[in-house]
Amino acid sequence: MKFYRAFLALAVGAMLAVAPARAVELSIVSGDTGNGIKVLREMLDRYQKQSGNKVDIVVIPPSGTDQFGQFRLWLAAGNSDIDVYQTDVIWAPQLASQLVDLTAATRDVVAEHFASIIQSQTVNGKLVALPIFTDAPALYYRKDLLDKYGAKVPTTWRELADTAKLVMDKERTAGNKDLWGFVFQGNAYEGLTCDALEWVRSNGGGQIIEPNGTVSINNRQAAAALDMVKGWIGTIAPPGVLAYQEEESRGVWQTGNAVFMRNWPYAYALGNSETSPIKGKFDVAPLPAGTGEDARPTATLGGWNLAVSKYSKHQDAAIDLVKFIASPEMQKYRTLRTSNLPTIKALYDDPDIAREQPIVPRWKQIFLNAAPRPSAVAKIKYNEASSQFWTAVHNTMSGDGSAADNLADLEARLTRLKGKGW
Ligand code: GLC
């Protein structure tokens, strides 16, 4: 009898595990950069086995700017086809009202994450998204080429430009015709706001809009930084850099055609992959700084999160999925394959990660000190403010107006946008 009861309990338990009472179909939307979608699919396959739910990925273009526009349209239309959105760190204030409050459901796990990242996703006391990885850029450099010409890793932009030119000229003379000195993200989109905030702030030019709401961008150091960058186009950087996003820069770099690259940590694992021509030939360093007063190295803070749509018909299952992908186990899995920086504190002491992706423990202090974009202060006007900024920068780099004139014009536009307050 006892045996029979135990058997029955086991059988019922097994049935529950294999076929949950209410299996549902979920969809998650994510941009496609590097091997991100491939790794997401692997994680979702595990989740499907464990939960019995089915999850589809809706893949959209890698530009955060395009994604943001699409998400806003879907959310405005109350689209219930998307349950989970992969969201950029800067979007929380702008999308908050259309996302589910995760505070109660994640109470048991939030303390595993860095408090500052959880804070960045909290709007008026509501946790609008759970972080899955954080981001802070690196200066990627070709160790082999710097060694060959006895050059050291640059710590100022001036040194970077000088070394880029020296190596490029010598290599080209020796027949390496396609080599460029420096690639970065020069397209007119959110990525350029990240790069340009680094140029400006690292040169003592402030952070566009200061935390107290002051529009500070129209200043001499900021203009000097943009003039410097203008001087790179067509000299150390290919003219095409004006259209590059992350993946175009990585394309040039990973085929061996750049001495330096500014990019996020995801490019580290890919550059060291089995088929990569530069495997083992590069390393990473903090981005350089300017040389004037207040100059200091600056890395823009990035990062991605998962949010549940208010219009999802399966909110509980969607929250369960979000917690699964954000968990320490899955963040470790992701980091080992993508070199994305985890948001779970303990993973910075993980020996497997330190061995496989040594950039991760090295980048802990860099991301903890990274400069946020002014999204918390500009709130719902951030996207417009950022697009005004990257447009002024892109115009300057393209020779359309001087840095000083474009920044004076930008100041007027941002002040108008600010109106009576942000
Ligand atoms: C990276 C960052 C993100 C940023 C984007 C810009 O994906 O993580 O925060 O907005 O690059 O292209």
Side-chain angles (χ1 to χ4, degrees), residues 52 126 154 347 368 406:
K126 164 177 169 181
L347 292 180
L368 285 173
N406 288 339

Side-chain angles (χ1 to χ4, degrees), residues 381 384-385 388 412-422:
K381 296 178 185 165
E384 176 65 21
Q388 297 288 359
R413 286 168 189 273
L414 290 180
T415 307
R416 263 202 306 279
L417 184 65
K418 177 178 174 183
K420 291 199 174 63
W422 291 108

Side-chain angles (χ1 to χ4, degrees), residues 70-79 85 98 311:
Q70 182 62 64
F71 288 9
R72 277 235 280 229
L73 289 177
W74 278 333
L75 287 166
N79 184 340
Y85 287 88
Q98 279 154 317
Y311 310 105

Side-chain angles (χ1 to χ4, degrees), residues 33 62-64 88-91 133-136 185 189-192 194 245-246 262 264 301-304 373:
T33 298
S63 156
D88 198 335
V89 65
I90 50 177
W91 297 341
F133 68 93
T134 184
D135 244 351
Q185 294 75 46
Y189 77 125
E190 183 62 29
L192 179 55
C194 298
Q245 298 182 10
E246 282 78 2
R262 182 268 183 214
W264 307 94
L301 180 66
W304 291 86
R373 282 159 273 174

Side-chain angles (χ1 to χ4, degrees), residues 198-218:
E198 287 153 8
W199 302 326
V200 167
R201 188 173 177 279
S202 75
N203 204 41
Q207 43 203 65
I208 314 165
I209 304 166
E210 301 306 310
N212 67 5
T214 308
V215 175
S216 65
I217 188 61
N218 186 16

Side-chain angles (χ1 to χ4, degrees), residues 25-273:
E25 277 194 32
L26 296 169
S27 68
I28 177 169
V29 59
S30 168
D32 188 8
T33 298
N35 57 356
I37 291 292
K38 182 169 170 283
V39 173
L40 176 61
R41 187 66 258 169
E42 290 164 14
M43 293 193 277
L44 293 176
D45 289 346
R46 286 196 187 198
Y47 177 75
Q48 293 189 153
K49 269 204 196 115
Q50 170 186 312
S51 68
N53 294 334
K54 183 170 178 306
V55 191
D56 289 325
I57 309 179
V58 178
V59 181
I60 53 171
S63 156
T65 300
D66 295 344
Q67 293 173 23
F68 184 70
Q70 182 62 64
F71 288 9
R72 277 235 280 229
L73 289 177
W74 278 333
L75 287 166
N79 184 340
S80 62
D81 293 339
I82 309 286
D83 301 287
V84 176
Y85 287 88
Q86 182 165 317
T87 58
D88 198 335
V89 65
I90 50 177
W91 297 341
Q94 297 163 91
L95 300 181
S97 64
Q98 279 154 317
L99 303 173
V100 169
D101 185 356
L102 301 176
T103 312
T106 60
R107 200 155 275 150
D108 55 333
V109 297
V110 281
E112 295 167 347
H113 299 258
F114 287 95
S116 58
I117 304 178
I118 294 294
Q119 187 53 39
S120 74
Q121 298 308 300
T122 305
V123 180
N124 299 328
K126 164 177 169 181
L127 182 64
V128 300
L130 199 58
I132 52 170
F133 68 93
T134 184
D135 244 351
L139 176 68
Y140 287 77
Y141 64 93
R142 285 283 297 277
K143 258 188 327 203
D144 57 336
L145 293 176
L146 262 51
D147 285 351
K148 184 168 169 188
Y149 297 103
K152 60 183 184 46
V153 180
T155 56
T156 65
W157 293 114
R158 198 171 295 161
E159 283 171 10
L160 177 137
D162 289 349
T163 304
K165 174 130 183 46
L166 174 106
V167 176
M168 195 180 131
D169 287 351
K170 297 231 179 210
E171 283 289 300
R172 285 192 174 209
T173 310
N176 193 355
K177 294 276 180 242
D178 294 329
L179 188 73
W180 285 98
F182 186 33
V183 290
F184 50 89
Q185 294 75 46
N187 198 333
Y189 77 125
E190 183 62 29
L192 179 55
T193 289
C194 298
D195 288 44
L197 172 61
E198 287 153 8
W199 302 326
V200 167
R201 188 173 177 279
S202 75
N203 204 41
Q207 43 203 65
I208 314 165
I209 304 166
E210 301 306 310
N212 67 5
T214 308
V215 175
S216 65
I217 188 61
N218 186 16
N219 68 75
R220 210 172 283 177
Q221 289 101 310
L226 299 192
D227 281 333
M228 164 188 86
V229 176
K230 163 87 179 74
W232 296 342
I233 312 295
T235 57
I236 59 168
V241 80
L242 293 172
Y244 287 4
Q245 298 182 10
E246 282 78 2
E247 284 292 77
E248 288 81 15
S249 345
R250 186 175 68 84
V252 174
W253 160 256
Q254 202 168 310
T255 46
N257 288 330
V259 185
F260 296 109
M261 170 177 74
R262 182 268 183 214
N263 215 330
W264 307 94
Y266 85 96
Y268 188 88
L270 295 165
N272 276 325
S273 62

